[in-house]
Amino acid sequence: MRTDDACIPAQSLWSEIRGDAACTLHAATVEIRGWMIPLEPTAGAATYFLLTEDEPCCGGCVPRDPLRSIEVTSCDPLVPESGPVRLRGRLMRLVDDPAGWRYRLESAERVPESSAMSRRAFLASSAAFGLAACAPGRFAGYTDAHDDTRPGDSEPARWQASAGALTIDMHTHTGHITVSRDPKIGANRPLTPVSASMRAGGMNVICLAIVTDTVVTRVSADRKRFEAWRTPQPGELYRLGQAEFVRATELIGREQLEVVTGAATLAATDTSKPRVIISAEGADFLEGRLDRVDEAYSQHRLRHLQLVHYRVNELGDIQTEAPVHGGLTDFGADVVRRCNALGMVVDVAHGTYDLVKRAASVTTKPLVLSHTALAGHPGARSRLISADHARVIADTGGVIGVWPSSGTFHDLDGMAHGFRRMADVVGVEHVGLGTDMLGFISPPVFRSYEQLPSLGAALLSAGFSQQETELLLGGNYRRVFEASMA
């Protein structure tokens, strides 16, 4: 690890970043030359933007490869140039960026240099950033659609749901409503577009999740998982939850999304208007108070509550840490009962097998485990689940969401076979889609809702019928949601 203040020149830095060899320069002062891509394309000067190695074709295009772009924060606002810029700052190796970016240049300042303008450079300039040819945003390379075919490949098959069928993502962070773990960004992280990709891919409803432990969790030393690193202050996680509910409301208004609060709004026939179910990943914001379930239900329209996340909280134990409570606590059981009474989906993702078994014994409604995958023998701290674990959910009438983790599946075809294996264990009627979009340390195999037709086609290729794919991609969760509201 380099921490010296001698400036590392720019000549070979991109090649070191591409090979991830620049990790040895963590916290070193470096110079780097590249193309600025502001997060708000219609804005002028910015203190937070992307720098990319290759000249973009237009203002919103960001390379798919996270090793060809870096995040930049500057002390003073920098005006986008028509050509490449040279910056000096402190290079940080990232380990917890939800979109998979690997490096950030902090306290950046411009190093003057002359540059010529080309036609493509002009298209990347601030004068062209208002163009709608490419969707703008910090994570365009992650969340925007891309052609995944290689030269010589045939055009992938297209899939779409039948009239009247709903597609539903059981778990997503798209839009960036969560407060960043980086204290320099925090709640100032820009919200990003949601509705355009939903319409383009045919995704009707998403369970939009706030996360209420981000300020006290971080990536583990082995970079394989998140972990709690400090004890929250009294009221801290409640305040975090309130801030993220506000961000969710702001995103909903900006994107003109419809909020689903019951079976009637879920059954709305106008599928052209994207809809959201307000969700929470981890009930940490309750801080042991049952009345806050009612508050979130009435004031913030929460309809999907995941009990635990990446810290052992008042409700129970988690898969990625040693057990403390022996499963679900008595308070956790009370929360399950209250959710049942109010009409709220109970999500046991991240919970231990013992937690899930007790939740199943308490609930009067189907359970959801929104995002995971099946493993023959999950490790001691794995987020994957065993067949027995899955069967406990199915026995309540519930649904297990298959996720697109690149650590689990290599591509969409592999993910489709993950659906197949889960369905072979619990039955097609108990499997769903949980993308956990923008929740991974490394970019997943499903990065945008524009990939939904490709995933549907992969499911057909894996042996599912059209009707079964519609159950997997929304119908099963719809049944559980409606049962939970009853």
Side-chain angles (χ1 to χ4, degrees):
M1 181 181 295
R2 294 284 298 275
T3 58
D4 55 278
D5 291 327
C7 184
I8 308 299
Q11 285 84 345
S12 62
L13 190 54
W14 279 115
S15 62
E16 292 192 43
I17 288 174
R18 287 198 308 273
D20 213 14
C23 61
T24 61
L25 299 175
H26 179 73
T29 299
V30 302
E31 287 186 5
I32 187 167
R33 187 173 185 268
W35 304 81
M36 287 179 63
I37 301 180
L39 302 176
E40 296 291 341
T42 58
T47 58
Y48 182 44
F49 53 89
L50 288 181
L51 193 74
T52 182
E53 176 185 13
D54 301 314
E55 182 180 4
C57 67
C58 62
C61 288
V62 178
R64 287 180 57 187
D65 187 349
L67 294 176
R68 289 184 179 272
S69 292
I70 63 172
E71 294 180 308
V72 180
T73 59
S74 61
C75 297
D76 298 316
L78 299 180
V79 177
E81 294 284 352
S82 58
V85 298
R86 184 182 295 268
L87 302 177
R88 179 187 294 118
R90 189 173 296 275
L91 188 70
M92 307 300 291
R93 175 62 160 84
L94 304 178
V95 293
D96 68 344
D97 191 276
W101 305 118
R102 308 292 175 80
Y103 291 93
R104 178 185 300 126
L105 191 70
E106 296 183 346
S107 302
E109 58 182 3
R110 180 173 288 149
V111 179
E113 68 172 6
S114 60
S115 59
M117 179 183 287
S118 67
R119 181 178 182 278
R120 286 204 303 145
F122 171 75
L123 289 174
S125 70
S126 57
F129 281 144
L131 294 176
C134 292
R138 170 188 177 197
F139 299 101
Y142 180 7
T143 60
D144 289 357
H146 297 279
D147 182 2
D148 289 328
T149 60
R150 299 176 179 85
D153 286 351
S154 60
E155 182 70 18
R158 299 285 293 178
W159 174 93
Q160 65 179 21
S162 304
L166 284 181
T167 53
I168 305 174
D169 181 358
M170 297 164 58
H171 184 77
T172 182
H173 304 287
T174 188
H176 288 100
I177 62 173
T178 57
V179 169
S180 173
R181 288 179 172 84
D182 186 338
K184 293 184 178 180
I185 303 170
N188 294 319
R189 167 185 279 166
L191 300 171
T192 51
V194 175
S195 59
S197 65
M198 289 179 67
R199 287 190 176 95
M203 177 60 74
N204 303 132
V205 185
I206 58 174
C207 295
L208 185 64
I210 68 167
V211 182
T212 57
D213 63 1
T214 56
V215 295
V216 295
T217 58
R218 63 186 179 190
V219 171
S220 60
D222 60 10
R223 298 180 179 175
K224 294 182 179 179
R225 59 190 174 90
F226 292 102
E227 64 181 4
W229 64 278
R230 69 174 176 88
T231 301
Q233 297 296 316
E236 182 178 13
L237 300 188
Y238 174 74
R239 290 190 296 273
L240 176 63
Q242 298 301 297
E244 293 193 358
F245 281 130
V246 168
R247 284 175 62 82
T249 300
E250 182 181 349
L251 179 71
I252 288 163
R254 179 182 299 186
E255 293 290 301
Q256 297 184 326
L257 305 169
E258 182 178 347
V259 179
V260 174
T261 55
T265 46
L266 185 62
T269 56
D270 183 9
T271 58
S272 65
K273 188 170 186 178
R275 285 169 276 169
V276 300
I277 295 169
I278 305 297
S279 172
E281 183 163 34
D284 304 81
F285 69 97
L286 300 180
E287 295 183 331
R289 289 181 50 177
L290 191 61
D291 62 300
R292 287 180 176 168
V293 178
D294 294 68
E295 177 186 279
Y297 179 90
S298 60
Q299 294 186 18
H300 304 297
R301 298 177 287 185
L302 185 70
R303 294 297 184 271
H304 180 131
L305 179 62
Q306 184 179 309
L307 304 181
V308 295
H309 190 217
Y310 276 118
R311 59 181 288 271
V312 179
N313 62 18
E314 297 85 356
L315 289 83
D317 294 323
I318 62 175
Q319 291 174 290
T320 50
E321 296 292 345
V324 174
H325 303 297
L328 187 73
T329 65
D330 290 342
F331 175 67
D334 288 340
V335 170
V336 172
R337 295 185 186 99
R338 191 60 192 151
C339 288
N340 290 167
L342 287 171
M344 191 181 297
V345 174
V346 175
D347 188 344
V348 291
H350 287 262
T352 61
Y353 183 34
D354 286 335
L355 179 147
V356 172
K357 286 190 291 184
R358 187 179 182 194
S361 71
V362 169
T363 188
T364 59
K365 305 290 177 66
L367 294 176
V368 158
L369 200 165
S370 59
H371 54 298
T372 186
L374 196 65
H377 301 283
R381 297 292 175 263
S382 174
R383 275 280 292 112
L384 305 183
I385 63 172
S386 67
D388 286 342
H389 195 141
R391 291 187 186 104
V392 173
I393 305 297
D395 287 346
T396 70
V399 179
I400 303 103
V402 175
W403 67 0
S405 170
S406 57
T408 309
F409 307 117
H410 293 301
D411 51 28
L412 291 183
D413 287 334
M415 185 180 175
H417 285 286
F419 275 87
R420 178 82 270 167
R421 290 191 293 274
M422 189 72 77
D424 288 343
V425 168
V426 297
V428 172
E429 66 274 20
H430 299 294
V431 186
L433 171 65
T435 70
D436 200 13
M437 193 177 294
L438 299 184
F440 291 99
I441 294 174
S442 297
V445 300
F446 187 99
R447 302 175 304 280
S448 167
Y449 292 122
E450 293 187 41
Q451 292 178 275
L452 187 63
S454 296
L455 177 58
L459 291 170
L460 293 175
S461 296
F464 293 105
S465 68
Q466 174 70 21
Q467 182 180 12
E468 288 172 333
T469 63
E470 290 167 359
L471 291 176
L472 298 171
L473 298 181
N476 290 331
Y477 181 83
R478 178 179 184 173
R479 169 179 51 80
V480 168
F481 183 86
E482 290 173 343
S484 299
M485 301 300 106

